[in-house]
Amino acid sequence: MGDIINGKILAEDFKQKIKAQIDEAVSKGYRVPCLATIVVGNDGGSIYYANNQKKLCDKLGLKNRSIFLEETIDEKDLILLIKELNEDNTVDGIMLQVPLPKNLNEEEITNLISPYKDVDGLTDFNNGKFYKGKKAFVPCTPRSVMHLIKSTGMDISGKNAVVIGRSNIVGKPVTQLLLNENATVTVCHSRTKDLKSVCKNADILVVAMGKPKFIDDSYIKEGAVVIDVGTSSVDGKICGDVDFDKVINIASHLTPVPGGVGSVTTTLLIKNTCEAWEKNVY
Amino acid sequence: MGDIINGKILAEDFKQKIKAQIDEAVSKGYRVPCLATIVVGNDGGSIYYANNQKKLCDKLGLKNRSIFLEETIDEKDLILLIKELNEDNTVDGIMLQVPLPKNLNEEEITNLISPYKDVDGLTDFNNGKFYKGKKAFVPCTPRSVMHLIKSTGMDISGKNAVVIGRSNIVGKPVTQLLLNENATVTVCHSRTKDLKSVCKNADILVVAMGKPKFIDDSYIKEGAVVIDVGTSSVDGKICGDVDFDKVINIASHLTPVPGGVGSVTTTLLIKNTCEAWEKNVY
């Protein structure tokens, strides 16, 4: 029986460090970090995440400017808002919730965010730096995956890692981060032949395919670390891509859904905001 | 006995198409494309490549502005030059030969090149777009690798591809390009354990490790397509990473060194310059 990797405990550890850092800054008379969150339209996920960010900012002592805009907003006004936030010295991080409504040019607009305030790593500028192996803001989900793997104490160097999924927000950046840690990385996807035998060879398996409970124990090498990035809704409940009850018997470590990857991401966004703030304040 | 993939023939095919395109533009009274090549200092490789670019521009009917600068140039003057070339409507492509002398901030300077004239894909902006799977200028060596694989007629989708090397100029972009074509891609490097068994499973093997003749037939799956990106100098001769005489007996297709990947790169730089020019002229 493997160990459950508890995302909530990991997040709690980060939160305590952030809180301590901000308490210290306040005691020294510095201004506290500020995250600006922009939601355009009525996307349920975006509103949910924005509210979570606000709650966590409140809890840890950061300022949060939550800006909710009508779906019908003129593109020019949104651009103007981003430019104002870029130039505002009291704002450290800008989180533009995507997807934007279809009438807005998402790529062009996200690229207007100052790379120094782009705390979710949305801009091409930060992406380019990241894939060259340079310091840059990295989207929070792949960062969460890496923190969860490292929390097991595994030495990643030289291990066989398999990533299922090649999306811009999970598969590709996770691949890059695993390479940075000297894993041998195989990227699989819908066109991969004999997925099972590839996975069976994985010391580290990161699953981001969006197929509820697709990966059972027949895909797992004994003792593997398995990270489940899937979040499908099944019968009103959030469900991962991994069949937890079967895989926990053969993996050495496995993340639950919920309570795994997703439990850490908002905290990492706040952590990125604090890193941007440190450069502005200290 | 496998087939030799002839880079020179592939390059010749591209050259003829470029020449025809430019002849047609001239006959219509359009201005011809112009590539500006900047060399700073006395790096032998940089001067060699710059001269090759000039020769090929002359041959195909493009303009070439070769700019040779002293190693001691003031950074501000180099920055000014790039800004002037960015704004010059008669220049379509800017090729800054790297590495720059150590006293210059290479990263900052390359990022000043207009992304629309960055025909060798050096800027973070183009890198960011590229890794998101969007249209962008891609460095010419990985593009050459892909053209050589495709020239064999192989259907890449679903194939197992193994890339040895994870550099920013070869391994990482080749991985991305193979994923774009729906290959299952494994990235190997110096820390990979049991490289041989990983390679033995490759339908497509791209080798960029910089170890002369390291890969012999014991690494090759029968019928594999093998692309050798290595260019080491051994006893005054250019030599690849693949032991050609042994591997040609088991691979279905193999690139020679010289005469393989390197034979196509300069032509692809000119091709990129023409693509930039098309957008400006048509």
Side-chain angles (χ1 to χ4, degrees):
Chain A
M1 188 85 167
D3 290 338
I4 298 170
I5 309 178
N6 191 320
K8 287 180 185 171
I9 291 177
L10 184 64
E12 196 49 46
D13 185 40
F14 286 129
K15 284 177 198 170
Q16 283 181 12
K17 285 177 186 147
I18 293 167
K19 182 90 175 62
Q21 188 188 17
I22 291 175
D23 287 348
E24 195 199 331
V26 169
S27 76
K28 286 182 177 168
Y30 292 125
R31 72 167 179 82
V32 297
C34 173
L35 172 67
T37 306
I38 307 170
V39 176
V40 186
N42 302 310
D43 180 75
S46 292
I47 294 169
Y48 173 80
Y49 292 124
N51 287 335
N52 272 354
Q53 289 159 29
K54 175 152 181 47
K55 263 188 240 167
L56 192 54
C57 283
D58 288 348
K59 189 174 166 187
L60 301 179
L62 288 87
K63 283 197 178 168
N64 176 255
R65 260 196 241 172
S66 300
I67 303 163
F68 293 90
L69 302 168
E70 296 290 331
E71 191 172 331
T72 53
I73 188 173
D74 194 311
E75 192 165 281
K76 282 178 198 158
D77 293 330
L78 179 56
I79 290 171
L80 199 68
L81 171 68
I82 291 175
K83 288 187 174 170
E84 281 172 4
L85 293 171
N86 283 344
E87 283 166 23
D88 186 334
N89 290 331
T90 67
V91 171
D92 303 287
I94 301 172
M95 176 70 197
L96 175 67
Q97 292 295 153
V98 290
L100 293 179
K102 296 271 179 232
N103 55 313
L104 298 169
N105 186 333
E106 186 171 303
E107 195 192 345
E108 210 167 278
I109 292 169
T110 51
N111 272 318
L112 291 173
I113 299 171
S114 160
Y116 307 104
K117 300 190 177 187
D118 172 29
V119 286
D120 200 34
L122 291 177
T123 59
D124 288 337
F125 187 87
N126 271 319
N127 264 276
K129 282 219 180 313
F130 168 61
Y131 284 106
K132 278 190 190 162
K134 289 174 188 160
K135 201 167 160 49
F137 286 120
V138 182
C140 296
T141 300
R143 277 191 77 188
S144 172
V145 169
M146 294 307 292
H147 281 298
L148 291 163
I149 296 170
K150 286 183 181 176
S151 76
T152 67
M154 179 190 239
D155 177 15
I156 299 172
S157 181
K159 294 292 190 301
N160 286 331
V162 172
V163 179
I164 314 180
R166 51 176 163 170
S167 72
N168 290 329
I169 51 169
V170 184
K172 286 186 202 167
V174 165
T175 299
Q176 176 61 38
L177 291 168
L178 285 164
L179 278 176
N180 290 352
E181 301 286 337
N182 298 318
T184 300
V185 189
T186 301
V187 191
C188 300
H189 43 76
S190 54
R191 308 292 183 88
T192 294
K193 286 172 189 161
D194 200 3
L195 181 64
K196 196 173 278 192
S197 76
V198 179
C199 292
K200 263 281 186 197
N201 195 33
D203 304 307
I204 300 165
L205 181 64
V206 179
V207 190
M209 56 202 308
K211 293 186 179 176
K213 295 193 180 186
F214 186 90
I215 298 294
D216 65 19
D217 49 336
S218 68
Y219 285 76
I220 309 295
K221 178 176 175 177
E222 187 151 1
V225 170
V226 181
I227 308 291
D228 187 353
V229 193
T231 50
S232 302
S233 181
V234 177
D235 301 331
K237 282 188 179 174
I238 294 288
C239 173
D241 292 338
V242 174
D243 189 333
F244 188 92
D245 294 336
K246 288 181 180 162
V247 170
I248 193 71
N249 292 317
I250 181 163
S252 74
H253 297 83
L254 171 60
T255 58
V257 178
V261 174
S263 302
V264 192
T265 50
T266 305
T267 305
L268 290 174
L269 185 73
I270 304 299
K271 195 168 179 289
N272 279 355
T273 304
C274 290
E275 283 169 18
W277 163 79
E278 278 173 37
K279 284 182 198 135
N280 293 333
V281 164
Y282 285 96
Chain B
M1 188 87 167
D3 290 337
I4 299 171
I5 309 177
N6 192 321
K8 287 180 185 170
I9 291 177
L10 184 64
E12 197 49 47
D13 185 41
F14 285 129
K15 284 177 199 170
Q16 284 180 11
K17 284 178 186 148
I18 293 168
K19 183 90 176 62
Q21 189 187 18
I22 290 176
D23 287 348
E24 194 198 332
V26 169
S27 76
K28 287 182 177 167
Y30 293 126
R31 72 167 178 82
V32 297
C34 174
L35 173 66
T37 306
I38 307 171
V39 177
V40 186
N42 301 309
D43 181 76
S46 291
I47 294 169
Y48 173 80
Y49 291 124
N51 287 334
N52 272 354
Q53 288 160 29
K54 175 152 182 45
K55 265 188 240 167
L56 192 54
C57 283
D58 288 349
K59 190 174 167 185
L60 300 180
L62 288 87
K63 283 197 180 169
N64 175 255
R65 259 196 242 173
S66 300
I67 304 164
F68 293 92
L69 302 168
E70 296 290 331
E71 190 171 329
T72 54
I73 188 174
D74 194 313
E75 192 165 280
K76 282 179 198 156
D77 293 329
L78 178 56
I79 290 172
L80 200 67
L81 170 68
I82 290 174
K83 287 186 175 170
E84 280 171 8
L85 293 171
N86 282 345
E87 284 167 22
D88 186 335
N89 289 331
T90 66
V91 171
D92 303 287
I94 301 173
M95 176 70 197
L96 176 68
Q97 292 295 154
V98 290
L100 291 178
K102 295 272 179 232
N103 55 312
L104 299 170
N105 187 334
E106 186 171 304
E107 194 191 345
E108 210 167 276
I109 292 168
T110 52
N111 272 318
L112 292 173
I113 299 171
S114 160
Y116 307 104
K117 300 190 177 187
D118 173 29
V119 285
D120 200 34
L122 292 177
T123 60
D124 289 338
F125 187 88
N126 271 318
N127 264 276
K129 284 219 178 314
F130 168 61
Y131 285 105
K132 278 190 191 164
K134 289 175 189 159
K135 200 167 163 49
F137 286 119
V138 182
C140 296
T141 300
R143 277 191 77 189
S144 172
V145 169
M146 294 307 292
H147 281 299
L148 291 163
I149 296 170
K150 287 182 181 176
S151 76
T152 68
M154 179 190 237
D155 177 16
I156 299 172
S157 181
K159 294 291 189 301
N160 286 331
V162 172
V163 178
I164 314 180
R166 52 177 163 169
S167 72
N168 290 330
I169 51 169
V170 184
K172 285 185 204 167
V174 165
T175 298
Q176 177 61 39
L177 290 169
L178 285 164
L179 278 175
N180 289 352
E181 301 285 338
N182 299 319
T184 300
V185 189
T186 301
V187 190
C188 299
H189 44 76
S190 54
R191 307 293 183 86
T192 294
K193 286 170 188 161
D194 201 3
L195 180 64
K196 196 173 280 192
S197 76
V198 180
C199 291
K200 263 281 186 198
N201 195 31
D203 304 307
I204 300 165
L205 181 63
V206 179
V207 190
M209 55 201 308
K211 293 186 178 175
K213 296 194 181 186
F214 186 91
I215 299 295
D216 65 19
D217 49 337
S218 68
Y219 284 77
I220 308 296
K221 178 177 175 176
E222 188 152 2
V225 169
V226 181
I227 308 291
D228 187 353
V229 194
T231 50
S232 302
S233 181
V234 177
D235 301 332
K237 281 188 181 173
I238 294 287
C239 173
D241 292 338
V242 174
D243 189 334
F244 188 92
D245 294 337
K246 288 181 181 161
V247 170
I248 192 69
N249 292 316
I250 182 163
S252 73
H253 297 82
L254 171 59
T255 58
V257 178
V261 175
S263 302
V264 192
T265 50
T266 305
T267 305
L268 290 174
L269 184 74
I270 304 299
K271 195 167 180 286
N272 278 355
T273 304
C274 290
E275 283 170 19
W277 164 78
E278 278 172 37
K279 283 182 199 135
N280 293 331
V281 165
Y282 287 95

